[in-house]
Amino acid sequence: MAREESLAKSLAQDTTSYLCYLLFITTLGPLQFGFHLAELNAPQEVITCAKKSILSASLRSSLPQCIPMKTEQFAIVSSIYTLGGLLGALSAGSVCNKYGRLLSMRATTTFFVLGPLFETFAVNIGLLAFGRFISGIGAGAAVVVVPIYISEIAPPKGKGLFGAFTQVMINMGILITQLLGYFLSRNSMWRIILATAGGIGLFQLFGLFFVPESPKWLAEHSHPGHARSILRKIRGHGVDIDEEVKAWNVNSSSDQIYEEESLLNSREGADPPKNAKTASPSLGMLGALMHAETRPAIIAVIAVMVAQQLTGINSIVMYSVSLLSALLPTTAALLTVAVSALNVIVSVLCAPLSDKFGRKTCLLLSIAGMGINSVLLAVGISYSIKLLSGIATLLFVASFAVGLGPVPFILANELVGAHAVGATQSWALAANWIATFLVSQFFPMLNEVLGKGRVYYVFAALAVAFGLFIGWWVPETKGKHGADEVWGRKETRERLE
């Protein structure tokens, strides 16, 4: 108890208003990920001309009220977002390692503005799909870069807690779009849902002008004085940052640090000196995969990221209204809003759990809960048991929030060193986007082929398989200092020496 109180006190001391601002502005990127993921869920039947509206209302517009689409065409429009995400994820790791986290995040906002522009004014399937592809590029890059940035600015004892904010904001994006969908899924008003994302993108672009580069990235790129100055501003001037700076493992003379801090003292947060030396080259994606020390970590993060999607969470996020509408015709859209709200609440409540119980424990509990509730969902939907279907849906999403939601975004930065974190995160998110594509593209078809609800037996079987593999392969990272200690290499080297 005393230890928990000490940790809470330490986190409260390190959590400044400036750190809260940085967390809010940067995690608007993951919020966009969730927003675009679910934006077509509630208004699907209105957009595709299957229904005039979910709720009756009217809005005059020169644009067509709907875009006629078959099930297969709508699946393509939904899933093409994930292909854009894959492209963004594959490119973001190397870009953020070479040019910095801040520039990468600013670049993503361009896609967050342009994508919704095409979506909002789409008059045919092609323009709508193209807009979602552009939005996907930004989202794919954001969920690679933002977790890295948060890990590098978060207090050392609270990396799990603050890392969970990536998933919290993803869930918040889903909730916002589901709420908008519930009230605006009528006539042409569904376009307002799509346009909202562009407004969020513009707001984030403005907010990023007051966000500094990651201090750890600056230190690794020969700007230790600038890095120290930014870290002091993030932590507060009364906090001792020497131990945290030492953990960067950057060798710099006190004269160099003093000289840089003197230059930056009058313009804190400015760009680093142009004549600074560049850091040693980081590993690319192929190099990290071929490297004996980083390959086990890449396998681990790929397994966890694929498990996050192939246990079925996006079948609820993207298709819950159409999935449950036959069983719950008057409450499916409202249940989807309730599920999204529960997801946000549970994600916030469970954010400290990975720091308390460990990353691996939370993952296994999450997978077990999703597997059990997949079976209950299959039974409830197949046999038209309304109460069971509703409760199983809520518990399914709550189980996801315990571990499979937040933990995968934390792991990459804890399983490898700084030289490979960008490449590892790119591998992780590339696998995630491919798995998301598979679910978004084939879930509607598989649900039709197997019969209503029986696809959740497949998700239950996959949960068992992933639970066994993760329990065997993925190491615990809680309380470990560096990748060598996580994988047991530190002890091995000490014995050899």
Side-chain angles (χ1 to χ4, degrees), residues 160-419:
L161 171 65
F162 289 99
F165 275 84
T166 297
Q167 185 61 38
V168 169
M169 290 299 274
I170 289 174
N171 294 339
M172 186 62 73
I174 294 170
L175 174 59
I176 291 170
T177 196
Q178 301 290 24
L179 276 170
L180 291 173
Y182 182 73
F183 291 105
L184 299 177
S185 294
R186 58 191 82 164
N187 298 325
S188 295
M189 293 184 74
W190 56 268
R191 296 181 185 274
I192 298 175
I193 304 172
L194 309 184
T196 301
I200 297 172
L202 285 172
F203 178 79
Q204 186 187 18
L205 177 61
F206 177 76
L208 284 172
F209 283 106
F210 303 97
V211 171
E213 181 55 84
S214 158
K216 186 177 181 182
W217 184 87
L218 286 171
E220 290 166 354
H221 287 72
S222 303
H223 306 305
H226 194 197
R228 190 182 179 94
S229 177
I230 290 173
L231 184 63
R232 184 179 289 115
K233 183 178 180 182
I234 294 172
R235 294 285 177 268
H237 290 281
V239 177
D240 183 8
I241 61 172
D242 290 340
E243 196 67 29
E244 192 171 349
V245 170
K246 191 182 296 182
W248 291 341
N249 294 322
V250 175
N251 296 320
S252 302
S253 67
S254 57
D255 290 341
Q256 182 185 357
I257 293 175
Y258 178 78
E259 182 182 352
E260 267 198 59
E261 286 193 312
S262 297
L263 289 169
L264 294 164
N265 193 41
S266 61
R267 53 190 186 100
E268 190 171 346
D271 292 335
K274 300 296 182 183
N275 59 349
K277 298 175 183 177
T278 57
S280 55
S282 301
L283 285 175
M285 290 185 67
L286 186 58
L289 183 63
M290 300 304 293
H291 198 285
E293 287 191 352
T294 55
R295 185 166 54 249
I298 290 173
I299 294 172
V301 296
I302 286 176
V304 172
M305 280 294 188
V306 172
Q308 186 191 61
Q309 298 304 321
L310 293 192
T311 47
I313 186 62
N314 279 331
S315 67
I316 299 296
V317 172
M318 301 179 78
Y319 297 112
S320 58
V321 173
S322 59
L323 177 70
L324 299 172
S325 59
L327 187 62
L328 304 164
T330 59
T331 58
L334 187 59
L335 178 62
T336 297
V337 174
V339 165
S340 301
L342 177 70
N343 204 2
V344 173
I345 294 167
V346 176
S347 295
V348 172
L349 293 177
C350 293
L353 293 185
S354 64
D355 282 329
K356 186 175 182 180
F357 299 114
R359 297 11 170 181
K360 187 172 181 177
T361 301
C362 288
L363 281 174
L364 294 177
L365 285 173
S366 183
I367 291 172
M370 293 186 75
I372 292 168
N373 286 290
S374 287
V375 174
L376 296 179
L377 259 175
V379 173
I381 296 173
S382 298
Y383 294 97
S384 300
I385 307 173
K386 296 181 180 181
L387 182 61
L388 179 61
S389 300
I391 293 173
T393 300
L394 294 172
L395 292 177
F396 182 82
V397 172
S399 298
F400 176 79
V402 170
L404 271 179
V407 172
F409 296 103
I410 303 169
L411 281 182
N413 210 53
E414 298 181 337
L415 291 175
V416 295
H419 65 294

